[in-house]
Amino acid sequence: MQRRSFVAGLGSAFWLPSLARAAAPLASDPFGLGIASGRPLPQSVVLWTRLMAVNPADRLDGAITVGWSIAEDERMQKTVRSGEAVAEPRWGHSVHVDVEGLKPNRPYWYRFTVQGKASPIGRTLTAPDATQRLATARFSFASCQMYEQGFYSAQRAIANEELNAVLFLGDYIYERSWGREHVRKHEAGVPTTLDDYRNRYARYKSDADLQAAHAAHPWIVTWDDHEVSNDYANDTAPDVIDPKFLLPMRAAAYQAFWEHMPLSNKVKPAGPSFKLYDRYRYGDLAEITVIDDRQYRSPNACFPESYKNRFLVDCADRLDPARSMLGAEQEAWFAEGMKRASARWNIIAQQTLMTELDSGKDGKHRYWADGWDGYPMARRKLLDAVAASPVRDTLVLGGDVHSFWATDLKRDYADAKAPVVATEFVGGSITSQTGKDTATQEVARNNPHVRYARSEVNGYGIVALEPAQATISFRTVTSVKERNAPVSTLQRFVVEAGQPGAKRA
Ligand code: FE
Ligand code: CA
């Protein structure tokens, strides 16, 4: 499939004969999967690409030397750093450059060159120094871009937003074909090997709108389940319960994830483990804590029965305090970070809806097994750590549920008077489908801590931080079934410093 599908995004490549090395110049663009930057720190960013030959005459065999450069201007006249990296076959010919020695809080432009071909020019932005007083910072947050179900107009819109960084919260790929009214196809089955996962990423990354969002901003990423297997928990999954099969798939999937994301060389995955959780600081205004609630979590409550009906009713196991969502090590790291936090806003970037959502009827309680509701004691522990932070204001950003939500996060949902510990926003899905909005509204009505819910629309969220308030906008596209669909604001919220809880604006 690599041979024929990478037509989009080739227009900006051009010849640079003077850069041709000993190897013969390539006839086709090796940058058909785009370029990206990520992990923005005050003095460094990661630059990414992955070489792939479109033309069969272009042989990308063995280790290939790739030139990179980063400049202070968009025409790349004032180069500040440059060098060479090696694209190795064992890492899928991916290129990750940890560029050091940059200045904080300023834009840079970058590009790659290989065998007479240059990549498009990308733009990135370093984070401000931790001590810098910052008046504003702006981030998009998004998840769930099922390729078959729609076009990525939302990613095109994200490319055009003014942002410090993009937060991507999981389901970057989907392993399985599902849903209605496909506009295009994976043209491959469910991945199990490293090459299968690589090809799935290549398929997604061939999309020009997605490439545009990567080329426009640095990305901060976490993952959810579909990067490996639907609803997986650590080493089990409804579709692959036996760890003997799931762990090798997880190793392949994690490696493919690293190969396709602007992540540091310092976190190369080793087998089925990958330390993805991380922290980012934006001056005195915000600290972003990125967590991984998939890799270390306990199996679903009442597993394996709960792998048939994904909802939990009368499952005492659910309340077992030993059940973990983050794993002991990440949990301790999280609590320590909250204790030491000192920015105006704590931002928690994570993958699944965090609030309690009881969908039971007639006095019965019913909870979704795969989200935080399957791990209520772990959620309480996390919120206890948030409440113990000297930082008063915490926003939790999430994905996974393919709908927009604004909720109050509380330590105890049974107590109507329990204080709101943090404010949650879930930013819809780029393309992935949901059920009916009437059902969403019914659940929202029955859960008074839910302040807003909306499904049957797609898009992303924007969080704009200022010292005294955060403004959150839910942005939607008119349709995912057509290309270049326009985007508009569905709903805007304000959270005032010192007053947790979303207010409609
Ligand atoms: Fe999803
Ligand atoms: Ca998911």
Side-chain angles (χ1 to χ4, degrees):
M1 54 79 81
Q2 297 90 328
R3 301 278 184 233
R4 56 190 162 81
S5 59
F6 302 114
V7 179
L10 301 187
S12 42
F14 53 90
W15 286 94
L16 280 185
S18 62
L19 290 178
R21 303 176 62 78
L26 298 169
S28 61
D29 179 18
F31 298 108
L33 302 185
I35 55 170
S37 75
R39 197 158 191 270
L41 298 179
Q43 266 114 43
S44 68
V45 291
V46 173
L47 306 182
W48 172 92
T49 191
R50 180 187 168 206
L51 305 181
M52 186 166 276
V54 181
N55 186 332
D58 286 332
R59 309 246 331 242
L60 293 177
D61 298 333
I64 297 166
T65 302
V66 179
W68 60 269
S69 58
I70 186 163
E72 286 184 344
D73 63 309
E74 60 191 305
R75 298 175 65 194
M76 302 217 48
Q77 309 276 303
K78 294 179 211 145
T79 300
V80 291
R81 286 272 185 288
S82 62
E84 288 181 336
V86 180
E88 294 179 75
R90 65 179 292 244
W91 297 105
H93 284 119
S94 64
V95 178
H96 300 71
V97 183
D98 287 90
V99 184
E100 310 279 350
L102 301 176
K103 291 181 197 147
N105 203 24
R106 65 149 298 151
Y108 288 95
W109 286 263
Y110 61 94
R111 91 176 141 202
F112 298 93
T113 52
V114 63
Q115 295 176 21
K117 290 283 188 188
S119 75
I121 293 171
R123 179 188 175 278
T124 191
L125 181 61
T126 49
D129 258 334
T131 54
Q132 187 179 334
R133 291 187 66 169
L134 211 60
T136 60
R138 208 159 180 270
F139 305 92
S140 64
F141 56 104
S143 67
C144 301
Q145 49 185 11
M146 208 302 176
Y147 179 86
E148 299 180 317
Q149 292 172 8
F151 295 113
Y152 295 157
S153 304
Q155 292 290 12
R156 178 66 65 176
I158 286 170
N160 293 329
E161 296 272 2
E162 205 172 296
L163 301 172
N164 289 77
V166 167
L167 307 176
F168 197 83
L169 306 179
D171 291 355
Y172 191 98
I173 57 161
Y174 280 77
E175 85 286 13
R176 195 175 291 271
S177 181
W178 63 281
R180 309 175 296 272
E181 300 169 62
H182 288 178
V183 299
R184 48 191 179 178
K185 293 288 184 186
H186 284 152
E187 291 176 35
V190 178
T192 56
T193 67
L194 178 55
D195 273 343
D196 293 344
Y197 282 106
R198 281 173 174 163
N199 289 342
R200 185 56 49 85
Y201 279 97
R203 170 77 52 195
Y204 279 56
K205 282 192 162 277
S206 67
D207 184 279
D209 293 329
L210 179 56
Q211 290 182 13
H214 276 294
H217 312 289
W219 281 43
I220 292 170
V221 297
T222 188
W223 53 31
D224 196 31
D225 53 332
H226 290 288
E227 284 86 351
V228 179
S229 185
N230 181 39
D231 287 357
Y232 84 99
N234 194 331
D235 61 1
T236 64
D239 299 333
V240 195
I241 294 179
D242 192 335
K244 175 167 88 236
F245 300 107
L246 185 63
L247 280 180
M249 279 173 60
R250 202 178 94 175
Y254 284 7
Q255 179 169 339
F257 181 83
W258 182 83
E259 286 175 355
H260 292 84
M261 293 295 151
L263 289 161
S264 173
N265 286 293
K266 291 167 203 146
V267 295
K268 270 185 185 171
S273 337
F274 188 163
K275 186 186 161 288
L276 186 59
Y277 56 91
D278 208 346
R279 257 181 220 115
Y280 295 84
R281 179 78 188 227
Y282 278 81
D284 67 345
L285 193 57
E287 183 162 63
I288 303 172
T289 303
V290 181
I291 61 180
D292 172 3
D293 82 16
R294 285 286 164 195
Q295 186 173 181
Y296 314 102
R297 61 160 81 178
S298 307
N300 278 193
C302 295
F303 154 89
E305 294 73 31
S306 55
Y307 275 173
K308 289 178 203 113
N309 177 1
R310 308 292 294 115
F311 284 96
L312 303 172
V313 181
D314 296 329
C315 166
D317 181 31
R318 193 178 82 93
L319 296 168
D320 181 349
R323 293 174 46 66
S324 181
M325 192 64 149
L326 302 183
E329 203 174 302
Q330 184 182 192
E331 213 166 67
W333 169 88
F334 180 85
E336 185 59 30
M338 287 297 118
K339 205 189 287 176
R340 279 199 211 155
S342 61
R344 295 271 190 153
W345 296 88
N346 272 333
I347 308 294
I348 299 170
Q350 55 96 48
Q351 36 280 108
T352 53
L353 181 79
M354 191 174 281
T355 200
E356 180 178 282
L357 216 53
D358 183 353
S359 57
K361 283 177 189 161
D362 310 321
K364 281 267 188 200
H365 300 288
R366 181 173 175 265
Y367 302 100
W368 180 237
D370 179 64
W372 283 93
D373 270 344
Y375 305 78
M377 295 299 136
R379 172 172 59 204
R380 181 173 289 184
K381 212 188 264 186
L382 178 135
L383 291 173
D384 282 345
V386 168
S389 178
V391 175
R392 292 171 312 174
D393 299 296
T394 297
L395 305 180
V396 173
L397 308 177
D400 179 53
V401 288
H402 305 176
S403 40
F404 289 92
W405 298 78
T407 84
D408 295 341
L409 293 173
K410 298 163 94 170
R411 205 180 165 274
D412 183 1
Y413 290 94
D415 176 5
K417 293 204 183 84
V420 180
V421 176
T423 313
E424 174 177 44
F425 295 95
V426 173
S429 68
I430 297 289
T431 54
S432 307
Q433 289 162 357
T434 49
K436 287 276 175 218
D437 190 56
T438 46
T440 301
Q441 298 312 325
E442 191 185 342
V443 175
R445 268 198 305 279
N446 294 336
N447 289 266
H449 46 275
V450 171
R451 297 202 181 191
Y452 180 90
R454 179 75 190 271
S455 53
E456 292 186 74
V457 282
N458 297 91
Y460 58 94
I462 296 283
V463 52
L465 300 171
E466 296 167 58
Q469 66 172 45
T471 307
I472 292 83
S473 307
F474 288 161
R475 310 264 290 155
T476 55
V477 293
T478 50
S479 169
V480 294
K481 305 300 180 190
E482 59 195 58
R483 290 187 191 274
N484 304 316
V487 67
S488 62
T489 299
L490 174 71
Q491 182 64 49
R492 196 172 278 130
F493 305 89
V494 165
V495 180
E496 287 169 44
Q499 291 178 268
K503 299 186 179 86
R504 294 195 197 196

